[in-house]
Amino acid sequence: MLQVTVQIIYLFFAFKISISDLRYRLILNRDLLFFLIFSIALHFSRFTVENLKSLTFISLTCAALHIIFDAKIGAGDLKLLWVISFWT
């Protein structure tokens, strides 16, 4: 039952962020922060040094994408990629 609840919450965040992005072309930092806090709280017991290395790689990838595409990829999209990497 807990897994179903967690998946429903993830779908809620995905739906809320998607609607905001499609309607206003804006991903709110507040939504990303709540998503990040939920992901960290849920997966805190699995946090390892290997995960930290992965997050560093994702952060560098986001920075590289931002530079390569000359800011055509929005900062909200890159922050969303970074937050999603917490629970994947």
Side-chain angles (χ1 to χ4, degrees):
M1 183 66 186
L2 181 63
Q3 282 295 85
V4 173
T5 305
V6 168
Q7 289 178 356
I8 288 172
I9 292 171
Y10 275 126
L11 287 174
F12 167 76
F13 281 120
F15 184 73
K16 183 173 171 72
I17 291 170
S18 296
I19 293 298
S20 172
D21 193 22
L22 290 172
R23 187 174 288 167
Y24 306 110
R25 301 190 54 86
L26 183 69
I27 298 175
L28 299 175
N29 288 337
R30 180 184 63 229
D31 294 339
L32 290 174
L33 181 65
F34 289 144
F35 190 27
L36 178 66
I37 290 170
F38 178 74
S39 296
I40 289 173
L42 190 65
H43 298 294
F44 188 72
S45 62
R46 293 191 233 163
F47 191 72
T48 64
V49 173
E50 187 64 34
N51 292 349
L52 186 60
K53 289 179 186 177
S54 297
L55 284 175
T56 303
F57 176 74
I58 290 291
S59 298
L60 293 173
T61 303
C62 287
L65 287 172
H66 189 66
I67 291 169
I68 290 170
F69 289 105
D70 194 32
K72 287 185 174 61
I73 296 177
D77 297 319
L78 295 174
K79 288 185 277 187
L80 179 62
L81 173 66
W82 191 77
V83 169
I84 286 174
S85 67
F86 269 93
W87 65 271
T88 53

